[in-house]
Amino acid sequence: CAPQAEDLVDSFPGLLVALVSNIGTQQQRACAFKAILDGDSIKNAAQILELPIWLRKMPPEAFREPLGHLPSERQFTAKITNFIPDKAHRTGDWLEQVSFADEACDSEFALWVAKHHTAVSPSRRRMLFLYMASWAWHSHQPKTIGYRLIAKPWSPKMGLRRATEELMRWRRRVDLACLIGDGIESAWLEGGTCGNYDFVPLLTLDDFVTESQVMHNCLDQYADRLATGLIRIFAIRQNGKSVADIEVGPAPAAAAATAPSIVQIKASNNRQAPLSVWNAAQAWLQRQSLDTMPRRPGHVRSGEGSGYIEPFWRPFLASLSEARRAEFEKCILTSQRRSTRHHLRHPPVTAGSRG
């Protein structure tokens, strides 16, 4: 190897990696190498390869994987060096995530990731990052289902804590969307009117999201509870306006049980519901016929149940390179499929329940 190229190990290891990898075209790499041999500046050689000059500040440990696309705008370059980890062994993960963030979203998100990367513990860093990248991407894609589920879109002004809170809310809505798909197949109980109150089953994704917004509660976060097959949710409305929500569960195991059980009834902001609502709910449940219905609600959908996962993620996956798409599918989609199959293969069991 030419001495000029060997010097790059110390002066600009990222440029040396680029010269022997797939960065740029073969002609660009040849021109950059010639420029180095001819004594041209390192900056000019990097520009030939369209390699960001800020990479010169990265130690050799940062280049353990092939380089992906990285931002090179002047404003980005002026800021990014402030966030390079001070410990060399951390720079590899840091650089890969900055590159992933730029590929999935843009340089603004990449800079935000660079700033907050080391604030997250390594044990949960990758999964959190993958979800964060998908949330940030959906924040700018109004034609996707994922965008509709966002309560607060990602913003570069957000701190890590606020962003994580909003991400987790979105993630649970995503789980709900992938669980119920086109809607819950069976409400289990008959809706109806009792006194001045109407009991309306929540069956679709929009039903849950809208009700949670109207009632200021967490019904949009109910994927895990619904997946058990042990509950159903009904809105309690008066004159067309929601006044409470009721969560109903399996009929008690006692042979003398005459109605499904009330798990909870909550008014707006999770306040206690009025006694009149409780009385109406109990009267409504007494009308349900246990002789002609199962004593538990059952799964929200039949069959394999994971058919809504791939369509939801497809637009985001299309924005990623093949390697990163494969990683996201392995980490996120596989986890969702496994969770869905677990619930379907382990139906809820309650003492005294029947089919």
Side-chain angles (χ1 to χ4, degrees):
C1 184
Q4 298 92 326
E6 290 180 352
D7 290 342
L8 293 177
V9 173
D10 297 317
S11 62
F12 198 162
L15 179 55
L16 182 60
V17 170
L19 288 171
V20 297
S21 64
N22 61 350
I23 297 296
T25 64
Q26 184 176 354
Q27 183 179 3
Q28 283 178 305
R29 293 194 294 273
C31 289
F33 189 66
K34 184 177 184 303
I36 292 170
L37 295 181
D38 292 343
D40 204 347
S41 70
I42 287 177
K43 182 177 181 180
N44 287 342
Q47 287 177 338
I48 293 172
L49 289 173
E50 301 177 2
L51 194 68
I53 194 63
W54 59 265
L55 283 177
R56 188 173 183 179
K57 295 183 177 294
M58 303 294 294
E61 290 87 344
F63 304 101
R64 65 188 188 192
E65 296 184 10
L67 286 171
H69 182 270
L70 289 162
S72 58
E73 309 94 277
R74 180 176 298 178
Q75 186 176 9
F76 183 91
T77 299
K79 295 179 179 180
I80 188 67
T81 54
N82 296 321
F83 307 128
I84 295 175
D86 54 2
K87 291 182 170 32
H89 71 273
R90 293 181 176 177
T91 56
D93 285 342
W94 179 89
L95 184 61
E96 191 280 329
Q97 290 199 2
V98 170
S99 175
F100 193 134
D102 181 59
E103 177 186 314
C105 299
D106 52 30
S107 60
E108 197 170 44
F109 181 62
L111 193 65
W112 187 88
V113 167
K115 178 180 180 180
H116 295 290
H117 170 82
T118 55
V120 181
S121 64
S123 62
R124 61 191 293 261
R125 185 176 294 159
R126 193 59 180 177
M127 185 72 79
L128 177 63
F129 169 73
L130 292 175
Y131 268 114
M132 192 75 74
S134 63
W135 170 56
W137 183 88
H138 280 94
S139 294
H140 302 289
Q141 304 297 326
K143 294 183 179 180
T144 63
I145 298 175
Y147 179 87
R148 287 169 42 206
L149 300 180
I150 293 175
K152 183 77 172 178
W154 174 83
S155 164
K157 296 180 181 180
M158 284 182 171
L160 180 62
R161 180 177 178 179
R162 175 65 189 281
T164 302
E165 289 172 353
E166 292 298 333
L167 166 64
M168 296 310 296
R169 183 176 182 183
W170 179 75
R171 178 177 171 180
R172 293 189 186 103
R173 285 185 174 185
V174 170
D175 289 342
L176 182 63
C178 292
L179 174 71
I180 66 179
D182 295 330
I184 296 175
E185 292 179 347
S186 170
W188 183 44
L189 306 179
E190 292 290 335
T193 300
C194 193
N196 296 322
Y197 300 104
D198 298 318
F199 293 80
V200 182
L202 302 186
L203 300 176
T204 69
L205 177 62
D206 286 341
D207 287 345
F208 281 91
V209 172
T210 300
E211 189 71 11
S212 73
Q213 293 170 338
V214 170
M215 298 296 288
H216 304 286
N217 60 28
C218 60
L219 285 176
D220 59 338
Q221 314 285 291
Y222 253 47
D224 286 346
R225 291 183 64 78
L226 286 168
T228 65
L230 292 173
I231 66 163
R232 288 295 188 270
I233 307 295
F234 285 73
I236 304 176
R237 294 172 181 162
Q238 188 175 43
N239 299 321
K241 179 182 178 181
S242 289
V243 295
D245 294 305
I246 179 172
E247 180 179 341
V248 290
T258 58
S261 61
I262 296 175
V263 179
Q264 60 178 330
I265 304 178
K266 295 292 183 180
S268 180
N269 292 299
N270 287 319
R271 295 193 302 265
Q272 278 294 111
L275 181 60
S276 60
V277 171
W278 276 87
N279 290 337
Q282 290 170 340
W284 168 67
L285 287 176
Q286 288 296 331
R287 295 179 182 177
Q288 307 295 327
S289 175
L290 289 180
D291 294 331
T292 59
M293 58 178 280
R295 297 177 76 92
R296 59 176 173 79
H299 291 301
V300 297
R301 299 197 65 81
S302 58
E304 184 61 21
S306 60
Y308 298 96
I309 297 174
E310 285 79 2
F312 177 88
W313 291 112
R314 191 175 296 134
F316 173 66
L317 292 173
S319 72
L320 303 178
S321 64
E322 183 177 351
R324 284 168 172 160
R325 181 165 59 249
E327 181 195 8
F328 193 91
E329 289 178 340
K330 180 180 179 180
C331 292
I332 307 300
L333 274 70
T334 300
S335 176
Q336 286 186 315
R337 294 190 197 103
R338 187 183 301 118
S339 176
T340 300
R341 287 195 294 267
H342 171 79
H343 286 301
L344 288 172
R345 292 173 181 173
H346 299 82
V349 176
T350 56
S353 67
R354 60 174 183 262

